[in-house]
Amino acid sequence: MELCIIGSGYVGLVSGACFAEVGHHVICVDNDQRKIDALQAGKIPIYEPGLEELVTRNVSAKRLRFTNSTEDGVRNSQIIFIAVPTPPQPDGSVDLSFIERVAREISNVLVPGEYRVVVDKSTVPVKTGEKVADTIRRYKKDATFDVVSNPEFLREGCAVPDLMNPDRVVIGSSSQKATDLMKKVYEPFKAPILVTDVNSAELIKHAANSFLSLKISYINAVSAICEAAGADVELVADGIGMDKRIGRNFLNAGLGYGGSCFPKDVKAFIAISKQLGTPFKLLEEVERINETQLARFIDKIREALWVLKDKKIAVWGLTFKPDTDDVRNSVAIELVNKIVAEGAHVTAYDPKGAEKAIEWKLIDGSKVKIAATPLEAVEGAEALILATEWKEFANQNFEEVKKAMHTPLVFDGRNLFNPETMRELGFDYHGVGRGVAGK
Ligand code: UGA
């Protein structure tokens, strides 16, 4: 099928590449000329395992191409996916101006009588689909089109496998013709398809991300109780997670959730539910717990080091999660900035994210040193903080690490290390919610 994706960010680019991989012809559109130039030159602007090979293969097979022209994309495709950013506004609601602009751009190109399906893939508040349809109709009265909601559930760091093997595909549509075409798009993925109305599909996305955030805040709140009572949150999570109704996934206690989705989507769900006159207070508590979690962790560091000023501290991990170079809304970065503000001298190491953290000025390059290896970061350090659970950190030679450090104090913000092993190695180990094996 002929598909066009407007917006070549995480969702747009990975979706485009995966659609091409299963045999569709895909045009990826972006108004950022630098991004298009880079993509046309074979350079992938983000680090996502497996993506580069996929893009290269499908560009050579002539199933995938890139352009800055919405007109080119819309004219030459049956189905137009909108995958532009929906950033948060100061009050927590979503800025839908990019979606609105794309709706107008699409309407400019639509030719009455030539049917198109316009699919919203960006994460949007419920009722956005109605507004997209109204906008297109307002600017092109006789346009023949349907608007569909098709939320995306991929996770950064495993976006390609998530997209190639989705748990489910949600198609929100009020038109049989559009639904049939969408089913054909997804047929090759052999995933369960749930067809709903447009509003329900939009709600599914916000409700899913908010529920996962709630799971994380739930276990983080439990981790605080574990610390106070003397229990191990990892064992508690295993025990409750073995109940199939609960499940062990997303019950990893740590520094809290970050990234460009959960914090934004929880806020947006709170905002839209308020707007609809049905405030979702539970989610306000989810946010509060998330903020407290980092503060509690920094208290723990202060408790051990007494004063942070002039302390040499190594931080492993800057990205918001492992296997990505994404440093946006990363709790690890927030942590670094907070301890630097208290006068700590931080040396950080991250396998993929350090360059972007400095380039995007998320951390101050004049105050935070970037190390080339994990071992270099801990040289002379009075404490080591594990902020992102990259696998490579678990596989370090900890005899060497201990030798390199000034004082062997470890704060494990993601419970990556085994407390007993660390203690046997001579570290003073502090995890999250590990009140039995260690605080
Ligand atoms: C999330 C959802 O998982 C995807 O399904 C969704 O499509 C995506 O948002 C989106 O809306 O685009 P993502 O933000 O890539 O995906 O990352 P997650 O793996 O969900 O992690 C989010 C945050 O939660 C990270 O900071 C991670 O460290 C934290 N987390 C996750 C925990 O603290 N504990 C856990 O048990 C799991």
Side-chain angles (χ1 to χ4, degrees):
M1 297 173 83
E2 315 293 325
L3 313 178
C4 151
I5 318 239
I6 302 180
S8 302
Y10 262 102
V11 170
L13 183 59
V14 182
S15 307
C18 291
F19 285 148
E21 178 71 5
V22 297
H24 300 307
H25 288 99
V26 182
I27 306 172
C28 281
V29 180
D30 204 288
N31 62 4
D32 178 348
Q33 187 59 49
R34 277 199 353 224
K35 193 187 271 181
I36 292 297
D37 289 343
L39 285 166
Q40 284 174 339
K43 292 197 191 89
I44 311 297
I46 50 173
Y47 169 72
E48 191 58 50
L51 182 61
E52 190 166 353
E53 297 88 300
L54 213 63
V55 170
T56 313
R57 181 160 63 241
N58 285 286
V59 167
S60 327
K62 301 216 177 321
R63 285 193 299 264
L64 179 63
R65 67 182 175 88
F66 303 99
T67 173
N68 65 359
S69 161
T70 303
E71 182 171 354
D72 175 8
V74 175
R75 271 212 201 301
N76 295 303
S77 314
Q78 252 175 319
I79 302 185
I80 300 136
F81 289 85
I82 304 176
V84 294
T86 48
Q89 307 199 94
D91 68 351
S93 66
V94 177
D95 175 359
L96 292 167
S97 59
F98 297 102
I99 299 256
E100 194 267 353
R101 198 197 59 223
V102 170
R104 279 186 283 125
E105 282 172 11
I106 293 172
S107 71
N108 279 340
V109 188
L110 290 183
V111 176
E114 287 181 17
Y115 179 74
R116 294 287 187 276
V117 183
V118 177
V119 186
D120 187 12
K121 217 176 213 329
S122 304
T123 301
V124 292
V126 60
K127 294 172 105 57
T128 300
E130 290 173 7
K131 298 210 175 73
V132 169
D134 288 349
T135 304
I136 295 177
R137 227 170 277 122
R138 191 166 343 116
Y139 286 89
K140 181 80 43 88
K141 212 163 67 245
D142 309 322
T144 32
F145 69 99
D146 283 304
V147 170
V148 164
S149 165
N150 171 222
E152 184 46 63
F153 302 101
L154 64 79
R155 290 163 299 171
E156 288 184 24
C158 41
V160 172
D162 275 359
L163 231 145
M164 294 305 288
N165 300 293
D167 286 349
R168 81 303 209 179
V169 170
V170 174
I171 299 173
S173 161
S174 56
S175 139
Q176 193 55 51
K177 186 172 175 184
T179 305
D180 291 344
L181 283 166
M182 289 298 289
K183 281 185 171 167
K184 265 175 95 179
V185 172
Y186 280 104
E187 209 169 52
F189 295 93
K190 308 215 178 317
I193 294 180
L194 177 71
V195 179
T196 69
D197 56 283
V198 177
N199 284 348
S200 300
E202 289 169 339
L203 263 176
I204 284 170
K205 173 68 193 209
H206 265 164
N209 272 6
S210 298
F211 188 77
L212 292 169
S213 308
L214 180 145
K215 256 188 123 173
I216 297 167
S217 277
Y218 185 89
I219 202 64
N220 281 337
V222 172
S223 78
I225 300 169
C226 286
E227 283 173 18
D232 186 346
V233 73
E234 293 301 314
L235 298 175
V236 175
D238 288 346
I240 60 177
M242 283 162 90
D243 184 329
K244 287 198 188 72
R245 294 170 301 173
I246 298 174
R248 180 62 174 84
N249 287 334
F250 280 69
L251 283 181
N252 295 319
L255 298 176
Y257 60 79
S260 55
C261 303
F262 285 176
K264 174 187 84 138
D265 291 351
V266 171
K267 273 200 172 21
F269 206 23
I270 291 172
I272 187 74
S273 48
K274 241 185 225 149
Q275 263 176 47
L276 292 166
T278 49
F280 203 158
K281 289 255 164 55
L282 177 63
L283 293 184
E284 288 173 21
E285 187 59 13
V286 166
E287 280 193 310
R288 193 197 61 78
I289 294 168
N290 201 50
E291 280 153 25
T292 323
Q293 197 66 2
L294 178 60
R296 279 193 332 104
F297 189 73
I298 296 178
D299 281 348
K300 215 178 288 177
I301 301 171
R302 255 189 238 112
E303 207 177 291
L305 287 176
W306 188 16
V307 174
L308 295 190
K309 189 166 184 303
D310 292 333
K311 292 276 152 56
K312 208 167 173 306
I313 298 181
V315 175
W316 283 357
L318 290 171
T319 51
F320 85 98
K321 61 185 266 188
D323 297 320
T324 175
D325 62 351
D326 198 346
V327 278
R328 293 170 297 169
N329 290 309
S330 167
V331 185
I333 299 257
E334 207 182 321
L335 182 147
V336 167
N337 288 332
K338 287 206 159 122
I339 62 174
V340 165
E342 290 193 31
H345 302 297
V346 171
T347 304
Y349 169 80
D350 188 278
K352 294 281 175 200
E355 211 175 291
K356 277 192 179 160
I358 299 283
E359 190 188 313
W360 294 350
K361 300 196 172 27
L362 298 175
I363 51 176
D364 184 344
S366 70
K367 289 192 177 147
V368 178
K369 269 197 219 142
I370 298 297
T373 63
L375 199 58
E376 187 188 314
V378 296
E379 198 62 56
E382 290 157 274
L384 161 65
I385 301 174
L386 183 292
T388 314
E389 67 278 31
W390 288 87
K391 266 206 198 89
E392 117 173 40
F393 297 144
N395 302 328
Q396 293 301 306
N397 178 340
F398 282 96
E399 299 280 2
E400 295 281 310
V401 170
K402 189 170 159 247
K403 239 186 263 157
M405 290 179 75
H406 183 270
T407 37
L409 195 52
V410 172
F411 297 93
D412 181 356
R414 297 286 173 186
N415 288 352
L416 181 71
F417 308 130
N418 181 315
E420 271 152 37
T421 317
M422 293 304 273
R423 291 221 177 83
E424 275 162 27
L425 283 161
F427 286 98
D428 180 5
Y429 173 87
H430 302 257
V432 176
R434 301 182 125 175
V436 174
K439 286 200 285 174

